[in-house]
Amino acid sequence: MTTFQFPKDFKWGVATAAYQIEGAFNEDGRGLSIWDVFSHTPGNVLNGDNGDIACDSYHRYPEDIALMKELGVHMYRFSISWPRIFPKGRGDINRKGLEFYHRLVDELLQNEIEPLCTLYHWDLPQVLQEEGGWNNRQTIDDFVEYASLMFSEFNGKIKKWITFNEPWCISYLSNYFGAHAPGYKDLQLATNVAHHLLIAHGKTVQKFREMGIDGEIGIAPNISWAVPFTSKQEDVEACLRTIAWTGDWFMDPIFFGKYPDVLMTHFQKAGVTVPIQQGDMETISQPIDFLGVNYYSASVNRFREDAGILQSEAVDVGYEKTDIGWPIDARGLYESLCYIKNKYPNISIYITENGACINDEPVNGQVHDRRRIQYMKQHLIQVQRCIEEGIPIKGYMAWSLLDNFEWAEGYSKRFGIVFVDFDTLERVKKDSFYWYQNVIKTGRVES
Ligand code: JJW
C-alpha cells in the first residue's frame, strides 16, 4: 500500500449537466432543445428514454446540494440550459429560467461550494436547429448573446466558466456518427459545426475579457488516449490521429491558431474542407485561463486502410471494461496529461469529468459499487502522479454526483456516486460516495 497525497489547495468536486439531471422540460417557460426532440424520436435513445423528468433536480436541487455538502466538495460543475434562458434561442429573456439558476447558485454559495458553470452542454434551443443550428454562423452570435447575459447576470457569483463541453461530441459524434442530437451523418457538416463552435468559443472569451468579468474561462474537450498495437510507424501514426481528433483538433486552433496537419491531410483526402473565413483563426486563438479535461477511457489502435476516415482501428486486447463497454486504462489519463503539458505548456488544468459506468443497485439500502471505487482510485493515483510530475492540475470533478440520463444510453447506464431510483426519484448514497468523502477529507488516496 502506498499513500498519494494531494496539494492542500486541490479542488475536489462533482459534475452534472442540465439535460441529464434537471427534468421539468416544459416548466417555467423553458423552450425545447435538440435533445427533447432527438430523445422523443423513436430509435434514438435506448428504451425510448428521455430527459422529461430525469433526476428532477430542477425541483430537488436543495437535496442534491445537501448531498454535496455532506460529501465535502469544494466545487460543483453544472451546466445552464440555454432554452430555459432564451426559449426562442435569442431575444426575449425568460426571467423564470434565470431565477432558477440564481436559486441554485445562491444555495451553492451559502454552502461554500464554488460553482463551475458550463455554458453549453449539448442542449441547443430547437428553434436555432431549425435555422441550421451550429452549421449556421448566426448561431455563433446567438451563443455570444446568451453567454454575455450569463456573465453579467452572474458576475461575482460564478467565477469559473466553460464555454463548450466535449466539442468533438457536439460536432462529430452528433453530426457525423449521428449518435447524438441532432443526429446527422455528414462529415462536412460536422466539420463546419466544429469550426463554428471554435469561433463561438473565441468570441465568447473575447467578450468575457471586454466585459471585465471577475473569473476564469476555459473549454473542456474529451480526450481519447490511444496506444499503438505494435511499434510500427503506421500504428503509431494511426494512434496520433485518434488522439488528435477529439483533442488537438480543438486545442491546436485555440493555442496555436492552426488546425493539426496530421488530420488536415486525412480530411482533405476525404474531400472535406474547414470553412475558414478571414480572421477566424485569430478569433479562435484567444488566450484561455484553464483547460478542462474529460477522460474516461483509452483504446489500443492500429492502422487499417479502410478503418474510417482516420484509418485507425481499435483493437480489443481484452482489457477490463466498465458496464458501458469502455476499456479501463488509468495510465491513459497520465499519458494524456503529459501529452497536453508537452504540447500546450503552462496551461492550468481541471479534470472536469472522470468516472465509471458501474450499474450496481441497492441491496438492503446499500450500493456496493466496488469497481467504481477501484476505477476512481486508479485514476486519482495517476492524477497525483501528474501533479508530482509538475503538471498544474488544480482540481478533479467526479462524473457524476447522480445516476442520470446518459444520452443515447438513456437511464440504463449509471455513472453516479449517488444511486437514483428513476421511479421514486429517491437518492441512495453508494459506497463510492463514502469513499470519495474520505478522499476529500484527508486529501489522499491509498492504493
Ligand atoms: C463517444 C460512440 C462511434 C458524457 C461515443 C459515445 C459511438 C465511433 C459521457 N460526457 O454523460 C463518446 N461521455 O454528459 C459528458 N463522454 O461514441 C457527460 N463521451 O462512436 C457524460 C459516447 C461518448 C461519450 C460519452
Side-chain angles (χ1 to χ4, degrees):
M1 192 189 81
T2 306
T3 299
F4 300 86
Q5 184 75 45
F6 285 77
K8 283 249 166 338
D9 59 353
F10 193 75
K11 304 286 187 207
W12 298 100
V14 286
T16 66
Y19 190 69
Q20 295 181 275
I21 65 160
E22 284 179 1
F25 82 106
N26 59 357
E27 285 183 47
D28 292 343
R30 176 185 179 278
L32 293 182
S33 82
I34 56 175
W35 268 96
D36 295 297
V37 173
F38 186 80
S39 65
H40 278 266
T41 306
N44 284 336
V45 176
L46 203 60
N47 304 317
D49 290 345
N50 58 60
D52 289 3
I53 300 169
C55 306
D56 192 36
S57 290
Y58 188 77
H59 300 112
R60 294 170 198 245
Y61 71 91
E63 183 182 348
D64 296 341
I65 292 174
L67 282 166
M68 286 188 262
K69 183 76 182 167
E70 181 182 348
L71 182 59
V73 289
H74 311 121
M75 289 183 114
Y76 176 45
R77 174 175 179 235
F78 67 100
S79 81
I80 293 179
S81 159
W82 180 354
R84 280 199 198 282
I85 310 298
F86 288 105
K88 299 195 186 84
R90 63 173 84 90
D92 296 335
I93 299 167
N94 176 33
R95 297 299 321 177
K96 289 205 161 157
L98 274 179
E99 283 159 15
F100 166 67
Y101 293 106
H102 276 294
R103 289 196 299 278
L104 176 75
V105 169
D106 290 347
E107 182 86 6
L108 287 169
L109 294 175
Q110 261 166 31
N111 285 281
E112 291 168 288
I113 300 168
E114 185 185 351
L116 165 53
C117 177
T118 308
L119 287 163
Y120 189 85
H121 202 124
W122 307 359
D123 43 1
L124 183 75
Q126 174 64 17
V127 284
L128 298 188
Q129 186 61 48
E130 282 156 20
E131 298 176 14
W134 287 112
N135 191 37
N136 180 353
R137 285 179 82 111
Q138 172 63 39
T139 299
I140 297 169
D141 295 332
D142 298 335
F143 179 77
V144 178
E145 179 192 347
Y146 154 64
S148 306
L149 177 68
M150 295 305 99
F151 295 153
S152 56
E153 197 67 33
F154 293 97
N155 195 15
K157 285 189 182 179
I158 301 178
K159 299 198 174 159
K160 291 195 174 64
W161 298 88
I162 288 168
T163 52
F164 291 96
N165 181 66
E166 303 188 345
W168 182 86
C169 290
I170 305 168
S171 47
Y172 294 99
L173 187 62
S174 307
N175 295 279
Y176 174 50
F177 294 108
H180 284 181
Y184 294 114
K185 294 187 178 175
D186 179 335
L187 187 58
Q188 180 60 62
L189 171 69
T191 302
N192 299 348
V193 167
H195 185 61
H196 295 158
L197 290 177
L198 282 168
I199 300 168
H201 162 83
K203 285 195 168 184
T204 302
V205 174
Q206 279 176 333
K207 198 79 184 182
F208 186 80
R209 308 290 183 218
E210 279 166 28
M211 292 173 73
I213 301 300
D214 172 24
E216 299 176 7
I217 190 162
I219 187 167
N222 50 309
I223 304 298
S224 23
W225 190 248
V227 180
F229 183 60
T230 76
S231 57
K232 279 187 257 176
Q233 191 61 22
E234 60 179 21
D235 288 356
V236 172
E237 285 172 7
C239 286
L240 288 173
R241 289 193 295 276
T242 294
I243 293 165
W245 201 11
T246 61
D248 310 35
W249 188 251
F250 300 93
M251 294 188 284
D252 279 16
I254 291 172
F255 291 106
F256 310 141
K258 187 178 178 307
Y259 282 95
D261 291 331
V262 289
L263 288 183
M264 235 4 177
T265 49
H266 269 71
F267 277 41
Q268 278 161 358
K269 268 194 277 178
V272 169
T273 52
V274 184
I276 303 174
Q277 293 182 11
Q278 184 80 42
D280 284 358
M281 300 316 287
E282 290 72 24
T283 302
I284 293 169
S285 53
Q286 302 302 312
I288 57 174
D289 301 309
F290 66 90
L291 186 69
V293 167
N294 290 2
Y295 179 89
Y296 290 91
S297 183
S299 54
V300 173
N301 279 55
R302 65 183 167 203
F303 172 80
R304 210 188 78 205
E305 190 77 43
D306 60 349
I309 167 158
L310 298 195
Q311 301 182 305
S312 177
E313 173 192 50
V315 186
D316 185 342
V317 294
Y319 283 172
E320 192 183 332
K321 299 183 179 74
T322 60
D323 292 342
I324 199 170
W326 300 349
I328 301 171
D329 182 355
R331 210 186 311 179
L333 176 55
Y334 171 77
E335 299 293 347
S336 303
L337 291 164
C338 290
Y339 177 95
I340 288 170
K341 174 188 159 83
N342 288 331
K343 195 165 175 189
Y344 316 104
N346 301 324
I347 186 76
S348 290
I349 294 171
Y350 285 86
I351 309 301
T352 37
E353 282 182 30
N354 174 244
C357 172
I358 300 292
N359 279 337
D360 298 315
E361 299 201 7
V363 178
N364 301 324
Q366 297 187 321
V367 185
H368 301 306
D369 56 341
R370 183 187 57 79
R371 288 177 300 147
R372 178 173 287 101
I373 294 173
Q374 179 169 306
Y375 179 102
M376 292 178 77
K377 179 186 289 184
Q378 289 174 347
H379 286 75
L380 281 172
I381 288 170
Q382 298 300 319
V383 172
Q384 200 273 350
R385 186 180 171 205
C386 290
I387 295 170
E388 294 269 312
E389 190 93 40
I391 305 178
I393 305 173
K394 308 296 183 190
Y396 175 93
M397 313 295 128
W399 184 273
S400 180
L401 174 67
L402 304 170
D403 292 338
N404 61 51
F405 178 76
E406 181 50 36
W407 309 112
E409 308 289 340
Y411 298 101
S412 70
K413 300 290 185 290
R414 297 178 177 275
F415 278 86
I417 59 172
V418 175
F419 177 88
V420 177
D421 179 325
F422 290 105
D423 296 320
T424 64
L425 298 169
E426 187 197 351
R427 279 90 162 120
V428 181
K429 287 163 268 181
K430 303 183 188 181
D431 288 356
S432 57
F433 177 99
Y434 296 106
W435 179 83
Y436 192 40
Q437 182 183 51
N438 184 254
V439 168
I440 295 170
K441 194 175 80 192
T442 60
R444 60 175 177 258
V445 172
E446 281 167 357
S447 55

